[in-house]
Amino acid sequence: MSTLYVTHPAFRDHLVTPGHPERPERMRAVEQAMEAEAFQALARVEAPLAEAAVATLAHPEAFVEALDRVRPREGMVRIDGDTTMSPGTWEALLRALGASTLAVDEVVGGRARNAFCAMRPPGHHAEQTTAMGFCFFNFAVVAARHAQKAHGVEKVAIVDFDVHHGNGTQAIVWDDPSIMYASTHQMPLFPGTGARSETGVGNIVNCPMRGGDGGDKFREAFDDAILPSLRTFSPDLIVISAGFDAHARDPLGGLMLRDTDYAWMTQELMGVADETAGGRVVSILEGGYDLTGLAQSAAAHVRALMRG
C-alpha cells in the first residue's frame, strides 16, 4: 500500500482579501513540492464533493445551514476580522469535508497505508457554532467521528502541531473520552487557549511552548508528554492536524522548527500508530503561511509518511 495524496483545484478558489496570509498560493506551493521525483509513487486522488451534512459530525445542523445561507454569490462576506467567504469558499469546504472522509475511508479500509490531505481553508479553530481564525468547519473532528460512525473505530487521537492552539478541536472533544486531543503550540498567541491545565476529561494534552523555542523543545514535549499519553490512550487511528506555521520562516508565529523536526515528529507518530492502530494515520493540512517554509515542511512530512 502507498501513501494517499488528496487534493483538488477548488481549494485555490477560496479567495481572501489582499495581503491575507491564508491565500490560494499556499496550495500552489504544496502542489509544486509534490511534483518532485521523490513523490511520484504517491497515490493521488481528487477530493470528492461531500454533502454539507457531513459537517454535522462536528457542528450543529443550524450552524452548517447558517453558513450556507450567508455564502456570497459575488464579492465577499466577512465572518470575523480575519475569516471571509468568497463565491468559491463553499465548494472548497465541501471538498475539504470530502477529502477528510475519503482519506479515512481509504486508510481504515486498508487501501492506503496513510494519507495526506492538502486542502484549505484550515479547520482547527472552528468551534461547534463559531467560525473563526480562517476556519469554518473542523475537519480533524469530522475525520475522527467519521471513522467512528462509518467504520466502528473506537478511539481516535488527534495530534496538532500547528503554532496556534486548536481551540475548536479541544472545545468539541472536551468531554468525549473516545477522542484524545494533543497539541504543541506557542503561548501566548492566538487564540489564547491551550494551557497545560486544560485537560478535558483526561483526554486533552496541551504542551504550550514559548516564542523562540525550537526543535529541541518540541521533541522534548513529544518525548515527555505526547508520545507517552498516546501510547496509554492506545488509539485505533491517528489524525494529524498538520500545521506548518511553527516553522522558523513563518510570519505568524515565533517558534523555530525546521523541516527535519516535522519529519521526526511524523516518524514518531507513525511509530505509535504502528504499535496501536495498525499504522493508520490521516494527516490534514492546517496552517503554514511562509510559502517556502510550507513547501519544505509539507515535503518532509509526506516523505516521512511514504517511508512508513
Side-chain angles (χ1 to χ4, degrees), residues 214-216 218-219 256-266 300:
D216 56 338
F218 262 79
R219 296 181 190 220
M256 304 300 290
L257 265 64
R258 304 289 181 180
D259 55 346
T260 52
D261 297 310
Y262 291 114
W264 178 86
M265 281 189 282
T266 306

Side-chain angles (χ1 to χ4, degrees), residues 109-191:
R111 293 178 292 276
R113 177 190 303 167
N114 49 52
F116 176 65
C117 301
M119 60 194 222
R120 58 181 289 275
H124 72 155
H125 294 310
E127 298 184 347
Q128 280 187 312
T129 60
T130 306
M132 60 179 289
F134 316 162
C135 304
F136 301 88
F137 295 147
N138 198 300
F139 304 110
V141 175
V142 166
R145 291 196 168 150
H146 176 70
Q148 293 176 322
K149 182 177 180 180
H151 298 283
V153 171
E154 292 185 5
K155 294 190 294 183
V156 182
I158 300 173
V159 181
D160 187 340
F161 49 68
D162 194 280
V163 78
H164 303 97
H165 182 248
N167 59 295
T169 308
Q170 175 173 290
I172 296 171
V173 307
W174 181 261
D175 58 358
D176 183 351
S178 73
I179 300 179
M180 173 183 171
Y181 177 67
S183 175
T184 53
H185 49 275
Q186 183 178 337
M187 204 173 178
L189 194 67
F190 177 89

Side-chain angles (χ1 to χ4, degrees), residues 45-226:
V45 65
E46 288 196 337
L49 193 68
E51 297 290 336
V54 173
T56 62
L57 290 166
H59 306 278
E61 183 177 358
F63 171 72
V64 177
E65 291 175 347
L67 275 182
D68 190 5
R69 285 195 300 271
V70 301
R71 62 187 172 103
R73 271 55 178 183
E74 60 183 22
M76 290 193 179
V77 170
R78 186 173 294 278
I79 303 300
D80 69 9
D82 54 18
T83 309
T84 56
M85 298 185 80
S86 73
T89 299
W90 192 247
E91 181 176 349
L93 290 171
L94 299 185
R95 297 280 181 189
L97 291 170
S100 306
T101 53
L102 173 67
V104 168
D105 291 342
E106 295 300 295
V107 170
V108 176
R111 293 178 292 276
R113 177 190 303 167
N114 49 52
F116 176 65
C117 301
M119 60 194 222
R120 58 181 289 275
H124 72 155
H125 294 310
E127 298 184 347
Q128 280 187 312
T129 60
T130 306
M132 60 179 289
F134 316 162
C135 304
F136 301 88
F137 295 147
N138 198 300
F139 304 110
V141 175
V142 166
R145 291 196 168 150
H146 176 70
Q148 293 176 322
K149 182 177 180 180
H151 298 283
V153 171
E154 292 185 5
K155 294 190 294 183
V156 182
I158 300 173
V159 181
D160 187 340
F161 49 68
D162 194 280
V163 78
H164 303 97
H165 182 248
N167 59 295
T169 308
Q170 175 173 290
I172 296 171
V173 307
W174 181 261
D175 58 358
D176 183 351
S178 73
I179 300 179
M180 173 183 171
Y181 177 67
S183 175
T184 53
H185 49 275
Q186 183 178 337
M187 204 173 178
L189 194 67
F190 177 89
T193 53
R196 293 183 190 276
S197 58
E198 298 167 14
T199 58
V201 289
N203 60 325
I204 308 294
V205 181
N206 283 311
C207 296
M209 319 299 291
R210 297 178 179 178
D213 283 349
D216 56 338
K217 294 294 186 181
F218 262 79
R219 296 181 190 220
E220 182 179 305
F222 269 76
D223 282 336
D224 292 352
I226 292 179

